Amino acid sequence: MAQDQQAVHAGTSGTEQMSGILVYGPEFFANTALPTALDMVQRLPGFTLDIGNGDARGIAGNTGNVLIDGKPPASKTDGLGEILRRISASGVARIELIRGGAPGIDMQGRAVIANVVLKRTASTEKLINFQSYVYRDGYVGPDLTLQYTRRDGDRRDELSLEVLSDRTSYTSQGIRTRTDASGRLLQRHSLDLWDRDRTATLRTSIQRALGGGLLTVNARLDYFDYPTSQTVTLLEGSGSSGRAIDLTHQWKGELGANWNRPLGSKSELEVIALQRLGRTRYDSTTDAGGFVSTFGQRSRNGESVLRPILRYKPGKTLSLEGGGEIAYNFLDNRTDYAEQGIPVPLPDQSVFVSEVRGEVFGLARWQPSGRITVEAGMRAEISRIAADADSNRARTFFYPKPRLQLTWRPNKRDQLRLRVEQSVSQLDFSDFVAATEINLGTVRAGNGDLVPEQALTLEAVVEHRFWGKGALELSAKHEATRNVIDYIPLDGGFDAIGNIGTGTRNTLASTLTLPFDKLGIKDARFRGNASVVRSHVTDPLTGARRRYASEVPFTCSGSFSQDLFGGRFTYGVFASCGQPSTSLYRIREFRTTEVQPSLEIYTIWKPSKRLAIRLDLGNLNNAARIYDRDLYTGERNASPLLFRERRTQRRGQYVYVQFRRTL
C-alpha cells in the first residue's frame, strides 16, 4: 500500500508536494559521483540519517529512519548504514522523502523517513570493495568486502564476506598529570594506548514470492577479536609506571525474516521474526607498580522477537494499523575480580537476567486535506524482568505509551509538525552486572533494582524548502523524565547504575542545506547543523540541581561539497565544532570530557561507471580528547580530594582510501 501511495509522485522528482512526499529520481543524482545508496541518502536536502539502535531490544523504532522498497530491514545486527553501503547507486530507481506521515506508509514511529526504491530490472552485480585507513605512524588497517547481488523484480539474492584488521580512535598517545587540591604536581605520566579490531562477517539475504506474499530472509555471522593495552610511564613525581591489558572475543549470529502479503485491495499483513545469539569472553589485567588486579567476564545473550502487523486503508485519506510484538531476551553473565591474586567479591557478579515483553499497538493516520495530516496511536507494553543473582528478583512493568502528531502544510514549501508522546526507555542488561574500566582501574557493581525511564515529550518542528535543493529546519523539544538513570551509592563503597528521581531536558536544534547554484557555484552545497541542550536533575549525593550525566550542551558541524565534470568528481570539506565539556558524576569521582574541533577533506572520483575511488584526509588538526577526573577518598560530597587528574590524548592524522569496483 505504501508503494501505491508513493508511486503517485514518481514523475515529479525533487518537487515540493502538498502531500508531504518529495521524490528524488535519477536526474537529481545525475551530476554526482556518489557510488552507494548511503551516499545518496546522505545527500537528501534536509534529511539526517538515523541508523537506529541495533543494541536495543525488540524491533519497533530501532531499525532507523530509512525503508528499502517500503519495508524496514529484517535485520538489527546488520546496521542500516552497512545495508545502504552495499547497495550501488546504479541499482536505485528513486528515493522518496516522506515528511509528517501519509496514509498507508509505515513511518516506524518517526516524523520523517526516506524510502529507497530499487530497480526491478534483471541485473547481476559482483563487487569488490577494498578500503583502508593509513595512520601517521605507518600502520595500515585493511578492510576487504566481496559481494554478489542478483535482482530480478521481487526475486533477490545477496551474499557478502567482509574481513578487516584495523584500529579505532582508542589507539592514541598522550600525557596524564595528577595534582593535589592546591595544584601541586604529584605525578606526570606518558600514555600509550593501543588496540586492534579484527572482524570477520558473513552475510546473506534471499527474497522470494511465497504464500501469496513476499518473503525476505537475512542471516549474519560475526567474529570479533579486540585486544587493547594501556602503558603508563612515570615522567615526574613519586609513584610508578604501569600497564593494563585486556582481550575481548565475541561470536554473534542473527537470522531474520520479513513476510508481507496483501489481503485484498485495502489490507496488508506483515510479519517480522528475528533470532539473535551471542557469546562474549573478556579478560583484563592491570599492573600498577606491582599491584596486580584481574577482571574476567563470560557472557551469553540472546533475543527472540515476533512482530505481526495488520494494515487497513479504507480510503485515500485514512489508514489504520494494529499489531503487537512479543520478545524474549536473556543475558547470562559471570564475572570475577581479584587483587594480588586474592578474590574480591562484587555485588551481583554472577547474574542471569531474562525479560519477557509483550506490546500491542494501534495507529491511525488521517489526511483530511492536502494540508493536514493527523497521526494518533497508542502502544501498551507489559514486561517481566527477572534477575537471578545474589538475591532473586522479578518485577513486572506495565506502561501505556500514547502518541499524537499533527502536520500542517500551509504551502508547498513549508511544514509545521507538532508532537506529544509518552515513551519508556529500555533497561541495559549490562547495568545488572559488575564491570571494570581497565584504563582507570575502577570497578562498578551491578544493580538488579533498576526501573526504566519514562519521558513525556513535547516537540515542534518548522521546515522550509527553498531554491529547489535547499532546506531549513528548526525544532524545539521539551522532555520531562521520571526515574532518571545515573550512578547511585551502594553499601561496601561501590557504586552502580540506578534511578535518581525526576528531571527535565530542553533542546533547540537546527539543520540547513544551502545550495550554491543561485549564488553562481554550480552543483555545490553547504550542510550544517547545531543543537543546544539544557537539562536539570537532582544529584543523589549533594541534593543540588545539575545537568544529566554525559549531556552534551552544544554540538555543531558543517560541510561543503561540490560535484564537477558531469558527476565524475566530487570533493568536500567537513568540520566539527567538537564537544564542549560533558560531566559524569560517580560516587567517589567527578569526570569531564572535552573533544576539540576537527577538520577533514575528501574526494570521490569515478573514472568509469564500474569504478569509484575515494580519498579522505582525516583529523587534519590532530584534535585532542581531554579527560578531567577528580577522585575523592570517599563520597565526593563529604570527603577530601585525593587527586585531580587530566589526560590529554591525540590519535593523529590519517588517510582513508577506498576502491569500489563492480565486475
Side-chain angles (χ1 to χ4, degrees), residues 170 194-198 225-229 245-248:
Y170 179 86
W194 174 94
D195 76 334
R196 290 294 181 267
D197 177 2
R198 301 166 181 145
D225 177 66
Y226 185 61
T228 71
S229 70
I245 300 173
D246 77 342
L247 180 61
T248 303

Side-chain angles (χ1 to χ4, degrees), residues 231-519:
T231 302
V232 180
T233 304
L234 181 66
L235 302 177
E236 294 182 64
S238 60
S240 61
S241 301
R243 193 178 188 198
I245 300 173
D246 77 342
L247 180 61
T248 303
H249 291 290
Q250 185 179 73
W251 285 93
K252 294 190 299 183
E254 177 182 286
L255 180 64
N258 183 305
W259 183 65
N260 193 288
R261 184 186 191 280
L263 303 175
S265 61
K266 297 182 178 181
S267 301
E268 179 183 65
L269 174 64
E270 181 178 16
V271 179
I272 303 173
L274 182 73
Q275 177 64 61
R276 297 202 296 177
L277 293 171
R279 182 186 294 270
T280 302
R281 176 179 176 180
Y282 170 76
D283 294 287
S284 71
T285 301
T286 303
D287 185 341
F291 183 83
V292 179
S293 60
T294 59
F295 184 90
Q297 183 175 10
R298 308 290 183 269
S299 65
R300 299 182 301 112
N301 63 85
E303 177 180 31
S304 306
V305 184
L306 179 65
R307 181 177 176 83
I309 306 169
L310 180 63
R311 301 185 181 93
Y312 175 60
K313 187 179 176 184
K316 294 182 178 180
T317 62
L318 177 65
S319 67
L320 307 172
E321 66 179 64
E325 181 172 298
I326 184 168
Y328 172 74
N329 300 271
F330 75 88
L331 171 65
D332 185 4
N333 190 88
R334 302 288 184 268
T335 59
D336 55 82
Y337 178 61
E339 295 178 350
Q340 297 292 79
I342 301 174
V344 177
L346 300 174
D348 292 336
Q349 64 183 35
S350 296
V351 179
F352 182 86
V353 185
S354 62
E355 177 192 44
V356 178
R357 181 174 54 83
E359 180 182 88
V360 294
F361 67 92
L363 178 67
R365 293 187 186 91
W366 180 43
Q367 197 171 55
S369 71
R371 298 180 183 273
I372 297 176
T373 300
V374 180
E375 180 180 298
M378 170 64 80
R379 292 184 293 161
E381 175 185 315
I382 184 169
S383 63
R384 184 181 186 274
I385 297 180
D388 182 3
D390 293 347
S391 60
N392 295 335
R393 287 159 294 206
R395 290 169 297 159
T396 300
F397 303 103
F398 174 76
Y399 298 107
K401 297 180 287 187
R403 183 177 190 269
L404 177 65
Q405 178 174 287
L406 172 66
T407 302
W408 178 47
R409 293 170 287 271
N411 52 59
K412 293 182 178 181
R413 299 181 181 273
D414 299 306
Q415 188 177 98
L416 171 66
R417 298 190 293 270
L418 303 175
R419 176 174 66 98
V420 57
E421 183 173 8
Q422 179 75 39
S423 60
V424 179
S425 73
Q426 286 192 357
L427 296 180
D428 188 341
F429 283 177
S430 64
D431 294 335
F432 286 63
V433 300
T436 183
E437 297 170 293
I438 66 159
N439 60 328
L440 297 178
T442 64
V443 177
R444 186 202 76 204
N447 178 20
D449 294 321
L450 273 171
V451 174
E453 292 182 343
Q454 302 104 57
L456 176 65
T457 301
L458 306 174
E459 184 179 38
V461 180
V462 177
E463 178 189 291
H464 176 65
R465 300 269 164 172
F466 62 95
W467 294 357
K469 300 178 182 178
L472 173 65
E473 183 177 284
L474 304 173
S475 67
K477 181 167 62 175
H478 171 76
E479 298 168 281
T481 305
R482 292 180 294 167
N483 298 315
V484 175
I485 293 178
D486 207 322
Y487 279 93
I488 62 171
L490 296 179
D491 294 336
F494 292 105
D495 59 10
I497 302 297
N499 301 103
I500 63 171
T502 61
T504 60
R505 177 164 47 200
N506 297 304
T507 305
L508 296 176
S510 64
T511 62
L512 172 67
T513 302
L514 177 65
F516 280 78
D517 298 79
K518 290 185 177 293
L519 302 178

